[in-house]
Amino acid sequence: MMPIEPQSWHRGLVARWWSLFRVGGPEVEYFRRFVEAGRPALDVACGTGRLLVPYVESGLDVDGCDVSADMIALCAAAAEAVGASPDLHCQAMHELDLPRRYRTVYVCGGLGLGSTREQDQEALRRLYEHLEPGGLLVLDNEVPYSDSAHWGLWPSGTRGSLPEPVQAPGDRRLGPDCDEYALQSRLLSLDPLLQQESWEINAYRWRAGELVAEETHLLTSNLYFMGEIVMMLEGAGFANVEVRGAYNDQPPTADDAFLVYLARRP
């Protein structure tokens, strides 16, 4: 069976929604500690700057990269608004080629999105090459069984309901421009053999109650279990790989929806 062609939805209205409403979260302060302990740092898949902008606002030396030009432009604007001008690069993780080397590289929610598994392995190798000797990679990843409803689609004979039906737009969010925005996603397919999902997202924008823009984008996502990521990190050259629970510095448990991986370049 052939994998689905990689797709990414992080552009256009989706990128704008991210910049307006995807803020905060436990990851911001969790990753900050690693950045403060080892700089310069690189935010890989930085998006619109959910982590990067608070860091550079407080004076931390952090660069960023993302595959989406729209995300990078919005991140630059957000950084400028707080008086910062970090070096930002529009590059895919598996094509990363920057002039600088870092004490800390972190990836928050980026591994496996819109890529092939071969590209994910190459991405880890590139991250290794961008670390100084002794530098630390901090990477989080959502476990495949985090959503009980979708985990129930893994056994044979359970995926007849896919693709999920199209639904009306979700709750509207009011932006600072007085426009309203909404996102609505649905699972199109799941392949347990390839450990790959395909998603569709519909993005909407209203002005004065009138729908003025609507976009549809696709996203492919590669799903990884803990042991796979540990082996991939070791295969990329990392040593002393440590796995922690969801932003809590505790040993991982089967109830953690996200796992955090710490890996050093020797």
Side-chain angles (χ1 to χ4, degrees), residues 120-249:
D120 291 344
Q121 182 65 69
E122 175 63 14
L124 295 180
R125 192 189 70 79
R126 298 277 180 137
L127 300 184
Y128 178 93
E129 292 297 332
H130 281 76
L131 279 167
E132 298 175 357
L136 179 68
L137 171 67
V138 188
L139 178 150
D140 71 354
N141 190 255
E142 188 172 8
V143 297
Y145 45 86
S146 62
D147 185 316
S148 59
H150 291 153
W151 180 244
L153 300 175
W154 280 59
S156 176
T158 62
R159 293 180 292 280
S161 61
L162 297 180
E164 293 177 333
V166 177
Q167 298 184 11
D171 293 337
R172 301 185 189 185
R173 302 283 296 273
L174 182 65
D177 53 6
C178 294
D179 286 358
E180 293 180 299
Y181 299 83
L183 297 180
Q184 186 66 53
S185 63
R186 63 184 183 124
L187 182 63
L188 299 180
S189 65
L190 165 67
D191 189 326
L193 181 63
L194 299 179
Q195 295 176 207
Q196 183 184 60
E197 293 176 337
S198 177
W199 293 81
E200 177 185 270
I201 197 167
N202 290 287
Y204 307 88
R205 182 176 186 173
W206 294 266
R207 181 170 299 141
E210 179 183 355
L211 184 65
V212 294
E214 179 179 354
E215 297 175 3
T216 299
H217 301 292
L218 300 178
L219 175 74
T220 55
S221 177
N222 299 319
L223 308 175
Y224 292 104
F225 293 92
M226 181 181 71
E228 291 179 277
I229 293 183
V230 170
M231 287 189 293
M232 291 168 66
L233 289 167
E234 292 174 343
F238 288 99
N240 302 321
V241 178
E242 180 184 351
V243 187
R244 298 181 181 179
Y247 319 115
N248 57 21
D249 287 337

Side-chain angles (χ1 to χ4, degrees), residues 83-140:
S85 55
D87 287 337
L88 301 176
H89 308 269
C90 187
Q91 290 186 15
M93 201 184 310
H94 65 277
E95 296 174 340
L96 197 62
D97 186 13
L98 304 182
R100 200 178 188 191
R101 295 298 177 264
Y102 301 90
R103 292 298 299 167
T104 305
V105 172
Y106 64 90
V107 187
C108 181
L111 182 69
L113 299 183
S115 54
T116 66
R117 300 181 89 81
E118 292 76 18
Q119 288 170 341
D120 291 344
Q121 182 65 69
E122 175 63 14
L124 295 180
R125 192 189 70 79
R126 298 277 180 137
L127 300 184
Y128 178 93
E129 292 297 332
H130 281 76
L131 279 167
E132 298 175 357
L136 179 68
L137 171 67
V138 188
L139 178 150
D140 71 354

Side-chain angles (χ1 to χ4, degrees), residues 5-23:
E5 187 69 22
Q7 300 280 344
S8 174
W9 64 29
H10 300 88
R11 59 185 182 276
L13 281 180
V14 176
R16 181 161 180 79
W17 195 95
W18 246 252
S19 71
L20 294 176
F21 307 117
R22 190 167 170 77
V23 297

